[in-house]
Amino acid sequence: MTTFSIEKIREDFPILKEKIRNKPLVYLDNAATCQKPQAVIDSISHLYTHEYANVHRGVHTLSVKATDRYEGAREKVKNFINAQSTKEIIFVKGTTEAINLIAQTFGKANIKAGDEIIITAMEHHSNIVPWQMLCEETGAVLKVAPINLQGELIFAEFEKLISDKTKLVAVVHMSNALGTINPVEKIIAAAKVKNIPVLLDGAQAIPHMSVDVQALDCDFYAFSGHKLYAPAGIGVLYGKQALLEAMPPYQGGGDMIRKVTFEETEYNGLPYKFEAGTPSIADVVGLGAAIDYLTEIGMDNIANYEAELLQYATAKAKTIKGLRIVGEAREKGAILSFVLDKIHPHDIGTMLDSLGIAIRAGHHCAMPVMDFFEVPATARASFAVYNTKEEIDILMNGIEQLIEVFG
Ligand code: C6P
């Protein structure tokens, strides 16, 4: 049951009025990045028009205002994911930087030759490559928990990989290529038996469900602003305070220090220890505005509405002859990956574009997932709060048309 007005929501997103190739835009590439509501656009424009200066550095009025906005957004993030303290909220460029930060700081300090890191077979490259790099540097070993043909983690196999050698479990909360939502509570509980820290890649989960890091009891949670209706170039690394405090800094520079002499440097406290240099001030403010916007709608309402969209799209897709859905996990977010007989996913993407429909075609930065399903790529429609069943009808009609012409 929809508890909000979808018409009103669509009004909030100016780009949805655009025409693409003379057709109304049907934007179904939300897992790559989603569109921005006017409130987010306005917050950035307001900052630059009235309140912009550098943060944490000036006593003048504008610097104080900008700092208040910036730190206010940190407070909003803290409440949004229910962290214990703003000290646990580190602003980074995005999920990729957050995971690299963990690998380069926590990883280098705690992971040695012969130690093991567990990931799953459905990870995005940004939760594979930083660990491969760390393993290469340290002599640690990367272990990969397998998935089944529905695209679900085989939990029993994951559990078997946990040992005294395991120093970190790093898993995706919701897969971008398959839509699978992992049983993160069970994963965390299994890791906690041996006191192993768990990092969740929340890039895809965070826009689609409410996330409570204390209830989850994860040690690290990474996400990107641009998939959460906020600007690109900003993201968040949540970390438990005790772990962050014990970690060495990531980059050196301004703001991350308390005292510098040529002999030695005393680092700043959390969260600034991990935020060297002038941050992406306006993007942080935009992230705060996006969180306000989503909180007003309610993340549970969004999750329920998108579940309806996914169910509708899946049922329709299953009636199309020659269409195969890739990823049919029982727990799944609003992503529909598919292939068509005899039509390459890139051609699907190009042909749908001629109808004004934006989807993503490719390996979705998850090449091992493509290898597992023995496909070179998939076409992927991914839904957001502003999408409608009518748009799904347009997508399915488009697919049927192109099967008729090229299939
Ligand atoms: N996935 C997609 O089209 P960045 O690029 O740092 O904001 O996010 C990286 C990332 C990490 N984990 C997952 C699960 C992701 O989906 C992504 C980004 C986009 O699926 C771009 S490849």
mmCIF file with all atom_site columns, all heavy atoms in Angstrom, residues 29 31-33 94-97 99 124 126 172 174-176 201 203-204 224 226-227 360 364-365 380, ligand 1:
data_model
loop_
_atom_site.group_PDB
_atom_site.id
_atom_site.type_symbol
_atom_site.label_atom_id
_atom_site.label_alt_id
_atom_site.label_comp_id
_atom_site.label_asym_id
_atom_site.label_entity_id
_atom_site.label_seq_id
_atom_site.pdbx_PDB_ins_code
_atom_site.Cartn_x
_atom_site.Cartn_y
_atom_site.Cartn_z
_atom_site.occupancy
_atom_site.B_iso_or_equiv
_atom_site.pdbx_formal_charge
_atom_site.auth_seq_id
_atom_site.auth_comp_id
_atom_site.auth_asym_id
_atom_site.auth_atom_id
_atom_site.pdbx_PDB_model_num
ATOM   1   N N   . ASP A 1 29  ? 17.762 3.737  -14.158 1.00 0.00 ? 29  ASP A N   1
ATOM   2   C CA  . ASP A 1 29  ? 19.180 3.433  -13.932 1.00 0.00 ? 29  ASP A CA  1
ATOM   3   C C   . ASP A 1 29  ? 19.594 3.930  -12.549 1.00 0.00 ? 29  ASP A C   1
ATOM   4   O O   . ASP A 1 29  ? 20.676 4.492  -12.359 1.00 0.00 ? 29  ASP A O   1
ATOM   5   C CB  . ASP A 1 29  ? 20.037 4.068  -15.029 1.00 0.00 ? 29  ASP A CB  1
ATOM   6   C CG  . ASP A 1 29  ? 21.456 3.508  -15.042 1.00 0.00 ? 29  ASP A CG  1
ATOM   7   O OD1 . ASP A 1 29  ? 21.674 2.444  -14.431 1.00 0.00 ? 29  ASP A OD1 1
ATOM   8   O OD2 . ASP A 1 29  ? 22.334 4.140  -15.644 1.00 0.00 ? 29  ASP A OD2 1
ATOM   9   N N   . ALA A 1 31  ? 20.342 2.347  -9.808  1.00 0.00 ? 31  ALA A N   1
ATOM   10  C CA  . ALA A 1 31  ? 21.430 1.684  -9.074  1.00 0.00 ? 31  ALA A CA  1
ATOM   11  C C   . ALA A 1 31  ? 22.774 2.277  -9.465  1.00 0.00 ? 31  ALA A C   1
ATOM   12  O O   . ALA A 1 31  ? 23.732 2.226  -8.689  1.00 0.00 ? 31  ALA A O   1
ATOM   13  C CB  . ALA A 1 31  ? 21.402 0.184  -9.348  1.00 0.00 ? 31  ALA A CB  1
ATOM   14  N N   . ALA A 1 32  ? 22.846 2.840  -10.673 1.00 0.00 ? 32  ALA A N   1
ATOM   15  C CA  . ALA A 1 32  ? 24.096 3.504  -11.084 1.00 0.00 ? 32  ALA A CA  1
ATOM   16  C C   . ALA A 1 32  ? 24.202 4.842  -10.368 1.00 0.00 ? 32  ALA A C   1
ATOM   17  O O   . ALA A 1 32  ? 25.219 5.174  -9.769  1.00 0.00 ? 32  ALA A O   1
ATOM   18  C CB  . ALA A 1 32  ? 24.129 3.689  -12.598 1.00 0.00 ? 32  ALA A CB  1
ATOM   19  N N   . THR A 1 33  ? 23.139 5.616  -10.451 1.00 0.00 ? 33  THR A N   1
ATOM   20  C CA  . THR A 1 33  ? 23.034 6.860  -9.683  1.00 0.00 ? 33  THR A CA  1
ATOM   21  C C   . THR A 1 33  ? 21.592 7.313  -9.808  1.00 0.00 ? 33  THR A C   1
ATOM   22  O O   . THR A 1 33  ? 20.950 7.045  -10.823 1.00 0.00 ? 33  THR A O   1
ATOM   23  C CB  . THR A 1 33  ? 24.009 7.946  -10.195 1.00 0.00 ? 33  THR A CB  1
ATOM   24  O OG1 . THR A 1 33  ? 24.131 8.983  -9.214  1.00 0.00 ? 33  THR A OG1 1
ATOM   25  C CG2 . THR A 1 33  ? 23.587 8.566  -11.510 1.00 0.00 ? 33  THR A CG2 1
ATOM   26  N N   . GLY A 1 94  ? 32.960 8.408  -1.507  1.00 0.00 ? 94  GLY A N   1
ATOM   27  C CA  . GLY A 1 94  ? 31.903 7.447  -1.837  1.00 0.00 ? 94  GLY A CA  1
ATOM   28  C C   . GLY A 1 94  ? 32.251 6.089  -1.261  1.00 0.00 ? 94  GLY A C   1
ATOM   29  O O   . GLY A 1 94  ? 33.238 5.938  -0.522  1.00 0.00 ? 94  GLY A O   1
ATOM   30  N N   . THR A 1 95  ? 31.461 5.102  -1.625  1.00 0.00 ? 95  THR A N   1
ATOM   31  C CA  . THR A 1 95  ? 31.679 3.742  -1.124  1.00 0.00 ? 95  THR A CA  1
ATOM   32  C C   . THR A 1 95  ? 33.087 3.249  -1.448  1.00 0.00 ? 95  THR A C   1
ATOM   33  O O   . THR A 1 95  ? 33.760 2.643  -0.613  1.00 0.00 ? 95  THR A O   1
ATOM   34  C CB  . THR A 1 95  ? 30.644 2.786  -1.763  1.00 0.00 ? 95  THR A CB  1
ATOM   35  O OG1 . THR A 1 95  ? 29.359 3.368  -1.628  1.00 0.00 ? 95  THR A OG1 1
ATOM   36  C CG2 . THR A 1 95  ? 30.674 1.428  -1.123  1.00 0.00 ? 95  THR A CG2 1
ATOM   37  N N   . THR A 1 96  ? 33.514 3.525  -2.664  1.00 0.00 ? 96  THR A N   1
ATOM   38  C CA  . THR A 1 96  ? 34.839 3.053  -3.098  1.00 0.00 ? 96  THR A CA  1
ATOM   39  C C   . THR A 1 96  ? 35.925 3.591  -2.177  1.00 0.00 ? 96  THR A C   1
ATOM   40  O O   . THR A 1 96  ? 36.800 2.836  -1.723  1.00 0.00 ? 96  THR A O   1
ATOM   41  C CB  . THR A 1 96  ? 35.101 3.513  -4.553  1.00 0.00 ? 96  THR A CB  1
ATOM   42  O OG1 . THR A 1 96  ? 34.040 3.029  -5.369  1.00 0.00 ? 96  THR A OG1 1
ATOM   43  C CG2 . THR A 1 96  ? 36.429 3.010  -5.074  1.00 0.00 ? 96  THR A CG2 1
ATOM   44  N N   . GLU A 1 97  ? 35.873 4.884  -1.907  1.00 0.00 ? 97  GLU A N   1
ATOM   45  C CA  . GLU A 1 97  ? 36.914 5.457  -1.043  1.00 0.00 ? 97  GLU A CA  1
ATOM   46  C C   . GLU A 1 97  ? 36.794 4.906  0.381   1.00 0.00 ? 97  GLU A C   1
ATOM   47  O O   . GLU A 1 97  ? 37.806 4.642  1.038   1.00 0.00 ? 97  GLU A O   1
ATOM   48  C CB  . GLU A 1 97  ? 36.862 6.989  -1.022  1.00 0.00 ? 97  GLU A CB  1
ATOM   49  C CG  . GLU A 1 97  ? 38.057 7.523  -0.255  1.00 0.00 ? 97  GLU A CG  1
ATOM   50  C CD  . GLU A 1 97  ? 38.214 9.035  -0.274  1.00 0.00 ? 97  GLU A CD  1
ATOM   51  O OE1 . GLU A 1 97  ? 37.217 9.742  -0.117  1.00 0.00 ? 97  GLU A OE1 1
ATOM   52  O OE2 . GLU A 1 97  ? 39.362 9.494  -0.415  1.00 0.00 ? 97  GLU A OE2 1
ATOM   53  N N   . ILE A 1 99  ? 35.848 1.954  1.350   1.00 0.00 ? 99  ILE A N   1
ATOM   54  C CA  . ILE A 1 99  ? 36.410 0.593  1.449   1.00 0.00 ? 99  ILE A CA  1
ATOM   55  C C   . ILE A 1 99  ? 37.934 0.651  1.326   1.00 0.00 ? 99  ILE A C   1
ATOM   56  O O   . ILE A 1 99  ? 38.657 -0.030 2.061   1.00 0.00 ? 99  ILE A O   1
ATOM   57  C CB  . ILE A 1 99  ? 35.769 -0.345 0.398   1.00 0.00 ? 99  ILE A CB  1
ATOM   58  C CG1 . ILE A 1 99  ? 34.262 -0.464 0.677   1.00 0.00 ? 99  ILE A CG1 1
ATOM   59  C CG2 . ILE A 1 99  ? 36.436 -1.730 0.415   1.00 0.00 ? 99  ILE A CG2 1
ATOM   60  C CD1 . ILE A 1 99  ? 33.469 -1.233 -0.361  1.00 0.00 ? 99  ILE A CD1 1
ATOM   61  N N   . HIS A 1 124 ? 30.783 -6.159 -5.708  1.00 0.00 ? 124 HIS A N   1
ATOM   62  C CA  . HIS A 1 124 ? 31.184 -5.128 -6.668  1.00 0.00 ? 124 HIS A CA  1
ATOM   63  C C   . HIS A 1 124 ? 32.709 -5.059 -6.655  1.00 0.00 ? 124 HIS A C   1
ATOM   64  O O   . HIS A 1 124 ? 33.337 -5.353 -5.631  1.00 0.00 ? 124 HIS A O   1
ATOM   65  C CB  . HIS A 1 124 ? 30.572 -3.804 -6.196  1.00 0.00 ? 124 HIS A CB  1
ATOM   66  C CG  . HIS A 1 124 ? 30.782 -2.632 -7.097  1.00 0.00 ? 124 HIS A CG  1
ATOM   67  N ND1 . HIS A 1 124 ? 31.941 -1.899 -7.101  1.00 0.00 ? 124 HIS A ND1 1
ATOM   68  C CD2 . HIS A 1 124 ? 29.971 -2.045 -8.002  1.00 0.00 ? 124 HIS A CD2 1
ATOM   69  C CE1 . HIS A 1 124 ? 31.829 -0.907 -7.967  1.00 0.00 ? 124 HIS A CE1 1
ATOM   70  N NE2 . HIS A 1 124 ? 30.644 -0.977 -8.530  1.00 0.00 ? 124 HIS A NE2 1
ATOM   71  N N   . SER A 1 126 ? 34.615 -2.790 -6.171  1.00 0.00 ? 126 SER A N   1
ATOM   72  C CA  . SER A 1 126 ? 35.212 -1.969 -5.107  1.00 0.00 ? 126 SER A CA  1
ATOM   73  C C   . SER A 1 126 ? 35.236 -2.686 -3.766  1.00 0.00 ? 126 SER A C   1
ATOM   74  O O   . SER A 1 126 ? 35.834 -2.174 -2.811  1.00 0.00 ? 126 SER A O   1
ATOM   75  C CB  . SER A 1 126 ? 34.536 -0.605 -4.990  1.00 0.00 ? 126 SER A CB  1
ATOM   76  O OG  . SER A 1 126 ? 33.184 -0.752 -4.819  1.00 0.00 ? 126 SER A OG  1
ATOM   77  N N   . VAL A 1 172 ? 28.699 -7.382 0.720   1.00 0.00 ? 172 VAL A N   1
ATOM   78  C CA  . VAL A 1 172 ? 27.735 -6.411 0.199   1.00 0.00 ? 172 VAL A CA  1
ATOM   79  C C   . VAL A 1 172 ? 26.389 -6.627 0.894   1.00 0.00 ? 172 VAL A C   1
ATOM   80  O O   . VAL A 1 172 ? 25.969 -7.771 1.096   1.00 0.00 ? 172 VAL A O   1
ATOM   81  C CB  . VAL A 1 172 ? 27.651 -6.549 -1.343  1.00 0.00 ? 172 VAL A CB  1
ATOM   82  C CG1 . VAL A 1 172 ? 26.948 -7.828 -1.788  1.00 0.00 ? 172 VAL A CG1 1
ATOM   83  C CG2 . VAL A 1 172 ? 26.991 -5.338 -1.971  1.00 0.00 ? 172 VAL A CG2 1
ATOM   84  N N   . MET A 1 174 ? 23.425 -5.259 -0.252  1.00 0.00 ? 174 MET A N   1
ATOM   85  C CA  . MET A 1 174 ? 22.511 -5.592 -1.367  1.00 0.00 ? 174 MET A CA  1
ATOM   86  C C   . MET A 1 174 ? 23.321 -5.542 -2.664  1.00 0.00 ? 174 MET A C   1
ATOM   87  O O   . MET A 1 174 ? 23.990 -4.541 -2.938  1.00 0.00 ? 174 MET A O   1
ATOM   88  C CB  . MET A 1 174 ? 21.363 -4.581 -1.400  1.00 0.00 ? 174 MET A CB  1
ATOM   89  C CG  . MET A 1 174 ? 20.456 -4.722 -2.610  1.00 0.00 ? 174 MET A CG  1
ATOM   90  S SD  . MET A 1 174 ? 19.054 -3.588 -2.495  1.00 0.00 ? 174 MET A SD  1
ATOM   91  C CE  . MET A 1 174 ? 18.768 -3.302 -4.237  1.00 0.00 ? 174 MET A CE  1
ATOM   92  N N   . SER A 1 175 ? 23.227 -6.613 -3.433  1.00 0.00 ? 175 SER A N   1
ATOM   93  C CA  . SER A 1 175 ? 24.047 -6.710 -4.654  1.00 0.00 ? 175 SER A CA  1
ATOM   94  C C   . SER A 1 175 ? 23.533 -5.786 -5.750  1.00 0.00 ? 175 SER A C   1
ATOM   95  O O   . SER A 1 175 ? 22.328 -5.739 -6.027  1.00 0.00 ? 175 SER A O   1
ATOM   96  C CB  . SER A 1 175 ? 24.031 -8.157 -5.159  1.00 0.00 ? 175 SER A CB  1
ATOM   97  O OG  . SER A 1 175 ? 24.255 -8.200 -6.553  1.00 0.00 ? 175 SER A OG  1
ATOM   98  N N   . ASN A 1 176 ? 24.457 -5.082 -6.416  1.00 0.00 ? 176 ASN A N   1
ATOM   99  C CA  . ASN A 1 176 ? 24.052 -4.174 -7.501  1.00 0.00 ? 176 ASN A CA  1
ATOM   100 C C   . ASN A 1 176 ? 23.749 -4.922 -8.786  1.00 0.00 ? 176 ASN A C   1
ATOM   101 O O   . ASN A 1 176 ? 22.992 -4.447 -9.615  1.00 0.00 ? 176 ASN A O   1
ATOM   102 C CB  . ASN A 1 176 ? 25.155 -3.139 -7.767  1.00 0.00 ? 176 ASN A CB  1
ATOM   103 C CG  . ASN A 1 176 ? 26.398 -3.761 -8.370  1.00 0.00 ? 176 ASN A CG  1
ATOM   104 O OD1 . ASN A 1 176 ? 26.815 -4.847 -7.974  1.00 0.00 ? 176 ASN A OD1 1
ATOM   105 N ND2 . ASN A 1 176 ? 26.991 -3.089 -9.329  1.00 0.00 ? 176 ASN A ND2 1
ATOM   106 N N   . ASP A 1 201 ? 29.166 -3.303 2.665   1.00 0.00 ? 201 ASP A N   1
ATOM   107 C CA  . ASP A 1 201 ? 29.104 -2.373 1.543   1.00 0.00 ? 201 ASP A CA  1
ATOM   108 C C   . ASP A 1 201 ? 27.620 -2.052 1.352   1.00 0.00 ? 201 ASP A C   1
ATOM   109 O O   . ASP A 1 201 ? 26.848 -2.859 0.834   1.00 0.00 ? 201 ASP A O   1
ATOM   110 C CB  . ASP A 1 201 ? 29.703 -3.055 0.299   1.00 0.00 ? 201 ASP A CB  1
ATOM   111 C CG  . ASP A 1 201 ? 29.431 -2.271 -0.981  1.00 0.00 ? 201 ASP A CG  1
ATOM   112 O OD1 . ASP A 1 201 ? 28.683 -1.269 -0.934  1.00 0.00 ? 201 ASP A OD1 1
ATOM   113 O OD2 . ASP A 1 201 ? 29.957 -2.674 -2.036  1.00 0.00 ? 201 ASP A OD2 1
ATOM   114 N N   . ALA A 1 203 ? 26.261 0.430  -0.439  1.00 0.00 ? 203 ALA A N   1
ATOM   115 C CA  . ALA A 1 203 ? 26.003 1.346  -1.564  1.00 0.00 ? 203 ALA A CA  1
ATOM   116 C C   . ALA A 1 203 ? 24.585 1.187  -2.116  1.00 0.00 ? 203 ALA A C   1
ATOM   117 O O   . ALA A 1 203 ? 23.898 2.176  -2.388  1.00 0.00 ? 203 ALA A O   1
ATOM   118 C CB  . ALA A 1 203 ? 27.026 1.105  -2.672  1.00 0.00 ? 203 ALA A CB  1
ATOM   119 N N   . GLN A 1 204 ? 24.145 -0.072 -2.275  1.00 0.00 ? 204 GLN A N   1
ATOM   120 C CA  . GLN A 1 204 ? 22.811 -0.285 -2.864  1.00 0.00 ? 204 GLN A CA  1
ATOM   121 C C   . GLN A 1 204 ? 21.727 -0.398 -1.806  1.00 0.00 ? 204 GLN A C   1
ATOM   122 O O   . GLN A 1 204 ? 20.567 -0.073 -2.084  1.00 0.00 ? 204 GLN A O   1
ATOM   123 C CB  . GLN A 1 204 ? 22.807 -1.555 -3.730  1.00 0.00 ? 204 GLN A CB  1
ATOM   124 C CG  . GLN A 1 204 ? 23.695 -1.491 -4.948  1.00 0.00 ? 204 GLN A CG  1
ATOM   125 C CD  . GLN A 1 204 ? 23.268 -0.436 -5.963  1.00 0.00 ? 204 GLN A CD  1
ATOM   126 O OE1 . GLN A 1 204 ? 22.137 0.036  -5.979  1.00 0.00 ? 204 GLN A OE1 1
ATOM   127 N NE2 . GLN A 1 204 ? 24.208 -0.047 -6.809  1.00 0.00 ? 204 GLN A NE2 1
ATOM   128 N N   . SER A 1 224 ? 27.414 5.580  -0.597  1.00 0.00 ? 224 SER A N   1
ATOM   129 C CA  . SER A 1 224 ? 27.640 6.748  -1.459  1.00 0.00 ? 224 SER A CA  1
ATOM   130 C C   . SER A 1 224 ? 26.421 7.653  -1.426  1.00 0.00 ? 224 SER A C   1
ATOM   131 O O   . SER A 1 224 ? 25.289 7.160  -1.444  1.00 0.00 ? 224 SER A O   1
ATOM   132 C CB  . SER A 1 224 ? 27.837 6.301  -2.912  1.00 0.00 ? 224 SER A CB  1
ATOM   133 O OG  . SER A 1 224 ? 28.900 5.388  -3.012  1.00 0.00 ? 224 SER A OG  1
ATOM   134 N N   . HIS A 1 226 ? 25.437 9.631  -3.885  1.00 0.00 ? 226 HIS A N   1
ATOM   135 C CA  . HIS A 1 226 ? 24.752 9.820  -5.179  1.00 0.00 ? 226 HIS A CA  1
ATOM   136 C C   . HIS A 1 226 ? 23.690 8.761  -5.469  1.00 0.00 ? 226 HIS A C   1
ATOM   137 O O   . HIS A 1 226 ? 22.844 8.962  -6.341  1.00 0.00 ? 226 HIS A O   1
ATOM   138 C CB  . HIS A 1 226 ? 25.768 9.890  -6.327  1.00 0.00 ? 226 HIS A CB  1
ATOM   139 C CG  . HIS A 1 226 ? 26.477 8.613  -6.613  1.00 0.00 ? 226 HIS A CG  1
ATOM   140 N ND1 . HIS A 1 226 ? 26.084 7.768  -7.608  1.00 0.00 ? 226 HIS A ND1 1
ATOM   141 C CD2 . HIS A 1 226 ? 27.558 8.036  -6.025  1.00 0.00 ? 226 HIS A CD2 1
ATOM   142 C CE1 . HIS A 1 226 ? 26.910 6.725  -7.623  1.00 0.00 ? 226 HIS A CE1 1
ATOM   143 N NE2 . HIS A 1 226 ? 27.801 6.866  -6.671  1.00 0.00 ? 226 HIS A NE2 1
ATOM   144 N N   . LYS A 1 227 ? 23.729 7.645  -4.743  1.00 0.00 ? 227 LYS A N   1
ATOM   145 C CA  . LYS A 1 227 ? 22.658 6.650  -4.914  1.00 0.00 ? 227 LYS A CA  1
ATOM   146 C C   . LYS A 1 227 ? 21.533 6.895  -3.906  1.00 0.00 ? 227 LYS A C   1
ATOM   147 O O   . LYS A 1 227 ? 20.544 6.189  -3.874  1.00 0.00 ? 227 LYS A O   1
ATOM   148 C CB  . LYS A 1 227 ? 23.217 5.232  -4.733  1.00 0.00 ? 227 LYS A CB  1
ATOM   149 C CG  . LYS A 1 227 ? 24.309 4.881  -5.752  1.00 0.00 ? 227 LYS A CG  1
ATOM   150 C CD  . LYS A 1 227 ? 24.720 3.449  -5.600  1.00 0.00 ? 227 LYS A CD  1
ATOM   151 C CE  . LYS A 1 227 ? 26.085 3.131  -6.162  1.00 0.00 ? 227 LYS A CE  1
ATOM   152 N NZ  . LYS A 1 227 ? 26.184 3.084  -7.620  1.00 0.00 ? 227 LYS A NZ  1
ATOM   153 N N   . ARG A 1 360 ? 20.793 0.328  -17.380 1.00 0.00 ? 360 ARG A N   1
ATOM   154 C CA  . ARG A 1 360 ? 22.229 0.096  -17.551 1.00 0.00 ? 360 ARG A CA  1
ATOM   155 C C   . ARG A 1 360 ? 22.443 -1.268 -18.177 1.00 0.00 ? 360 ARG A C   1
ATOM   156 O O   . ARG A 1 360 ? 21.767 -2.241 -17.820 1.00 0.00 ? 360 ARG A O   1
ATOM   157 C CB  . ARG A 1 360 ? 22.958 0.163  -16.205 1.00 0.00 ? 360 ARG A CB  1
ATOM   158 C CG  . ARG A 1 360 ? 24.459 0.010  -16.376 1.00 0.00 ? 360 ARG A CG  1
ATOM   159 C CD  . ARG A 1 360 ? 25.270 0.317  -15.149 1.00 0.00 ? 360 ARG A CD  1
ATOM   160 N NE  . ARG A 1 360 ? 26.667 -0.047 -15.431 1.00 0.00 ? 360 ARG A NE  1
ATOM   161 C CZ  . ARG A 1 360 ? 27.616 -0.128 -14.525 1.00 0.00 ? 360 ARG A CZ  1
ATOM   162 N NH1 . ARG A 1 360 ? 27.352 0.140  -13.258 1.00 0.00 ? 360 ARG A NH1 1
ATOM   163 N NH2 . ARG A 1 360 ? 28.848 -0.468 -14.862 1.00 0.00 ? 360 ARG A NH2 1
ATOM   164 N N   . HIS A 1 364 ? 28.313 -4.220 -14.768 1.00 0.00 ? 364 HIS A N   1
ATOM   165 C CA  . HIS A 1 364 ? 27.948 -3.558 -13.512 1.00 0.00 ? 364 HIS A CA  1
ATOM   166 C C   . HIS A 1 364 ? 29.083 -3.585 -12.487 1.00 0.00 ? 364 HIS A C   1
ATOM   167 O O   . HIS A 1 364 ? 28.836 -3.637 -11.273 1.00 0.00 ? 364 HIS A O   1
ATOM   168 C CB  . HIS A 1 364 ? 26.657 -4.167 -12.920 1.00 0.00 ? 364 HIS A CB  1
ATOM   169 C CG  . HIS A 1 364 ? 25.589 -4.375 -13.943 1.00 0.00 ? 364 HIS A CG  1
ATOM   170 N ND1 . HIS A 1 364 ? 24.990 -3.330 -14.606 1.00 0.00 ? 364 HIS A ND1 1
ATOM   171 C CD2 . HIS A 1 364 ? 25.043 -5.507 -14.451 1.00 0.00 ? 364 HIS A CD2 1
ATOM   172 C CE1 . HIS A 1 364 ? 24.123 -3.812 -15.483 1.00 0.00 ? 364 HIS A CE1 1
ATOM   173 N NE2 . HIS A 1 364 ? 24.138 -5.132 -15.407 1.00 0.00 ? 364 HIS A NE2 1
ATOM   174 N N   . CYS A 1 365 ? 30.312 -3.553 -12.987 1.00 0.00 ? 365 CYS A N   1
ATOM   175 C CA  . CYS A 1 365 ? 31.489 -3.611 -12.089 1.00 0.00 ? 365 CYS A CA  1
ATOM   176 C C   . CYS A 1 365 ? 31.396 -4.819 -11.166 1.00 0.00 ? 365 CYS A C   1
ATOM   177 O O   . CYS A 1 365 ? 31.767 -4.747 -9.981  1.00 0.00 ? 365 CYS A O   1
ATOM   178 C CB  . CYS A 1 365 ? 31.645 -2.325 -11.283 1.00 0.00 ? 365 CYS A CB  1
ATOM   179 S SG  . CYS A 1 365 ? 31.806 -0.870 -12.293 1.00 0.00 ? 365 CYS A SG  1
ATOM   180 N N   . ARG A 1 380 ? 19.995 -4.056 -16.967 1.00 0.00 ? 380 ARG A N   1
ATOM   181 C CA  . ARG A 1 380 ? 19.539 -3.901 -15.583 1.00 0.00 ? 380 ARG A CA  1
ATOM   182 C C   . ARG A 1 380 ? 18.615 -2.702 -15.450 1.00 0.00 ? 380 ARG A C   1
ATOM   183 O O   . ARG A 1 380 ? 19.005 -1.579 -15.744 1.00 0.00 ? 380 ARG A O   1
ATOM   184 C CB  . ARG A 1 380 ? 20.742 -3.718 -14.665 1.00 0.00 ? 380 ARG A CB  1
ATOM   185 C CG  . ARG A 1 380 ? 20.372 -3.621 -13.185 1.00 0.00 ? 380 ARG A CG  1
ATOM   186 C CD  . ARG A 1 380 ? 21.567 -3.241 -12.330 1.00 0.00 ? 380 ARG A CD  1
ATOM   187 N NE  . ARG A 1 380 ? 21.992 -1.874 -12.578 1.00 0.00 ? 380 ARG A NE  1
ATOM   188 C CZ  . ARG A 1 380 ? 23.062 -1.298 -12.025 1.00 0.00 ? 380 ARG A CZ  1
ATOM   189 N NH1 . ARG A 1 380 ? 23.831 -1.987 -11.216 1.00 0.00 ? 380 ARG A NH1 1
ATOM   190 N NH2 . ARG A 1 380 ? 23.376 -0.045 -12.299 1.00 0.00 ? 380 ARG A NH2 1
HETATM 191 N N1  . C6P B 2 .   ? 27.605 0.622  -8.398  1.00 0.00 ? 1   C6P B N1  1
HETATM 192 C C1  . C6P B 2 .   ? 26.246 0.458  -10.391 1.00 0.00 ? 1   C6P B C1  1
HETATM 193 O O1  . C6P B 2 .   ? 25.836 0.858  -11.485 1.00 0.00 ? 1   C6P B O1  1
HETATM 194 P P1  . C6P B 2 .   ? 30.815 4.384  -5.846  1.00 0.00 ? 1   C6P B P1  1
HETATM 195 O O2  . C6P B 2 .   ? 31.185 4.315  -7.288  1.00 0.00 ? 1   C6P B O2  1
HETATM 196 O O3  . C6P B 2 .   ? 32.029 4.501  -4.962  1.00 0.00 ? 1   C6P B O3  1
HETATM 197 O O4  . C6P B 2 .   ? 29.774 5.394  -5.546  1.00 0.00 ? 1   C6P B O4  1
HETATM 198 O O5  . C6P B 2 .   ? 30.121 2.984  -5.487  1.00 0.00 ? 1   C6P B O5  1
HETATM 199 C C2  . C6P B 2 .   ? 30.761 1.784  -5.750  1.00 0.00 ? 1   C6P B C2  1
HETATM 200 C C3  . C6P B 2 .   ? 29.852 0.638  -5.468  1.00 0.00 ? 1   C6P B C3  1
HETATM 201 C C4  . C6P B 2 .   ? 30.155 -0.211 -4.418  1.00 0.00 ? 1   C6P B C4  1
HETATM 202 N N2  . C6P B 2 .   ? 29.345 -1.224 -4.085  1.00 0.00 ? 1   C6P B N2  1
HETATM 203 C C5  . C6P B 2 .   ? 28.215 -1.464 -4.760  1.00 0.00 ? 1   C6P B C5  1
HETATM 204 C C6  . C6P B 2 .   ? 27.339 -2.594 -4.326  1.00 0.00 ? 1   C6P B C6  1
HETATM 205 C C7  . C6P B 2 .   ? 27.851 -0.651 -5.832  1.00 0.00 ? 1   C6P B C7  1
HETATM 206 O O6  . C6P B 2 .   ? 26.727 -0.889 -6.487  1.00 0.00 ? 1   C6P B O6  1
HETATM 207 C C8  . C6P B 2 .   ? 28.700 0.409  -6.215  1.00 0.00 ? 1   C6P B C8  1
HETATM 208 C C9  . C6P B 2 .   ? 28.382 1.262  -7.419  1.00 0.00 ? 1   C6P B C9  1
HETATM 209 C C10 . C6P B 2 .   ? 27.151 1.343  -9.577  1.00 0.00 ? 1   C6P B C10 1
HETATM 210 O O7  . C6P B 2 .   ? 25.923 -0.638 -9.962  1.00 0.00 ? 1   C6P B O7  1
HETATM 211 C C11 . C6P B 2 .   ? 28.265 1.891  -10.405 1.00 0.00 ? 1   C6P B C11 1
HETATM 212 S S1  . C6P B 2 .   ? 29.360 0.649  -10.947 1.00 0.00 ? 1   C6P B S1  1
#
